[in-house]
Amino acid sequence: MTSARSPLESTARSDSPRFAVGLTGADVRVLVDHPDLAARVDGLGADFVALGVDAHSGREPGALPRRPTVEATVAIAVLADVVSTTTLLSVSSPFADHPYNIARRAATLHAITGRRGGVVIGATERSRRGSFPARADHEALAVATPVEVLADTAVIIRKLWLSWPLESVVADRERLLFSNGVQILGVDHNGVFRVTGPLNVPVPRSDQPLLAAIAPVDDELPDASADVVDVVVHPRARWRTGGRPRSTFDGAQYAEVVVGGDDAATAAQVAEAVAVGYDAVLLRPDPTSTVGATDLIDSTVPTLVRAGTIRPVGPLRGADWSTRAADLLTDARPAFGPVPAPA
């Protein structure tokens, strides 16, 4: 994790919670259409900005009609040069996209953004509704609980990111050798999803993309999957009804705070989350209000920072997995043969 000092940082109290920002698909469209607004994201001092926070839950009850959107992974590629220091995460649902594709896209964005990429995965009953893609795991998805789908997806993504370490790339032109095949590991995963790897994108083992998960409202991520994610976001409906931060989880845990345009009400939510035990919050627009990207970037976040309600720390990065890879890929087979001997 690194820190990028915000111009607002000097006014925030050291005991204030750190924060991240979540934007809906419509907000993402606003950033793409207004690069000057997107450029101001770096000055917020947010841990990360998650794009497409409505993707995992679909249309929420009482939400305003959908406005034109831009798919989050496409938006991150477009915004990578405009937003130059902030960590950018796309929000995805395994009910809508296969874990292999989620892992591949996030790894690609991690490279495009200069290792500032990652993904937030969420799986809810609401996101399950509708037609499933025609694929082999249709039946498994139809009967698995959201927490089972989410847990399996998290493990798969981490396995795939570890399967082809960027450190294996040697790019030896004289020997016509691109990568050390012995270091590339096969993935044979059989759970809710059946996945065979390795990933087709190399990922730095010591500087992985940020992997976040949105905790199910009525269930807890099992130990095995919680251990592979860097961040867990607890929906407001969970933490306001007794969902406390998990004491056995080493990563960062964020309480979702819904912003509806009343800064005092938002500050009260933040204070409540701190009282419950959270030391980080994720600010996202209330889907029943007209609050959007401009309000969050130019008004809400600066106001809360100046009041000492939240604390700008700077971009959060993925954990160093260089020493933890063996825990997931202990029995993995080499995907390819050894490096040819020099001629």
Side-chain angles (χ1 to χ4, degrees):
M1 181 177 64
T2 59
S3 296
R5 187 173 179 84
S6 163
L8 300 171
E9 186 172 355
S10 60
T11 63
R13 297 196 309 263
S14 60
D15 59 345
S16 302
R18 57 193 303 157
F19 73 96
V21 173
L23 299 176
T24 67
D27 296 322
V28 174
R29 172 67 180 269
V30 172
L31 291 186
V32 171
D33 288 345
H34 298 87
D36 56 330
L37 176 66
R40 296 198 286 277
V41 167
D42 286 332
L44 298 178
D47 290 355
F48 59 85
V49 174
L51 306 183
V53 290
D54 47 342
H56 76 98
S57 58
R59 178 77 173 274
E60 300 183 27
L64 298 176
R66 286 185 179 272
R67 293 169 286 170
T69 67
V70 176
E71 202 278 327
T73 55
V74 174
I76 290 175
V78 172
L79 295 170
D81 290 334
V82 180
V83 182
S84 59
T85 61
T86 303
T87 295
L88 299 174
L89 309 184
S90 61
V91 181
S92 300
S93 169
F95 284 126
D97 206 353
H98 195 279
Y100 191 99
N101 290 333
I102 296 174
R104 175 179 54 82
R105 290 173 183 169
T108 301
L109 292 173
H110 194 50
I112 290 174
T113 58
R115 302 188 182 185
R116 294 181 293 113
V119 65
V120 183
I121 52 174
T124 66
E125 288 291 353
R126 188 178 295 120
S127 64
R128 183 200 295 268
R129 297 172 187 167
S131 301
F132 286 104
R135 61 196 199 202
D137 48 42
H138 177 111
E139 292 185 4
L141 275 176
V143 299
T145 65
V147 72
E148 289 172 339
V149 174
L150 185 61
D152 203 48
T153 300
V155 172
I156 290 169
I157 290 174
R158 185 64 73 185
K159 283 183 176 180
L160 290 171
W161 284 348
L162 293 168
S163 65
W164 184 4
L166 182 63
E167 294 80 0
S168 71
V169 176
V170 294
D172 189 332
R173 293 186 178 182
E174 293 185 3
R175 298 164 61 194
L176 300 180
L177 180 66
F178 176 70
S179 188
N180 185 345
V182 174
Q183 294 178 268
I184 304 174
L185 301 177
V187 173
D188 298 294
H189 181 90
N190 187 9
V192 175
F193 300 93
R194 298 186 65 180
V195 175
T196 300
L199 194 63
N200 60 356
V201 179
V203 179
R205 181 162 289 178
S206 59
D207 190 5
Q208 295 259 300
L210 190 68
L211 177 56
I214 300 172
V217 172
D218 300 319
D219 208 343
E220 182 66 85
L221 283 171
D223 289 342
S225 59
D227 288 343
V228 305
V229 301
D230 302 302
V231 168
V232 175
V233 177
H234 295 256
R236 183 171 67 164
R238 175 181 176 82
W239 68 261
R240 297 194 86 178
T241 55
R244 292 180 173 275
R246 180 169 164 174
S247 60
T248 57
F249 176 55
D250 291 335
Q253 299 182 81
Y254 293 72
E256 179 190 58
V257 170
V258 178
V259 179
D262 184 334
D263 291 338
T266 301
Q269 281 189 73
V270 173
E272 185 180 354
V274 171
V276 171
Y278 290 90
D279 58 7
V281 295
L282 180 135
L283 307 172
R284 63 158 292 181
D286 185 339
T288 65
S289 75
T290 58
V291 170
T294 303
D295 304 286
L296 283 171
I297 294 169
D298 287 343
S299 178
T300 302
V301 171
T303 297
L304 295 176
V305 169
R306 283 193 294 268
T309 304
I310 55 176
R311 174 169 53 100
V313 177
L316 190 69
R317 302 290 192 247
D320 183 347
W321 278 81
S322 58
T323 59
R324 301 169 66 183
D327 295 339
L328 287 178
L329 299 176
T330 302
D331 300 323
R333 53 180 171 78
F336 305 103
V339 179

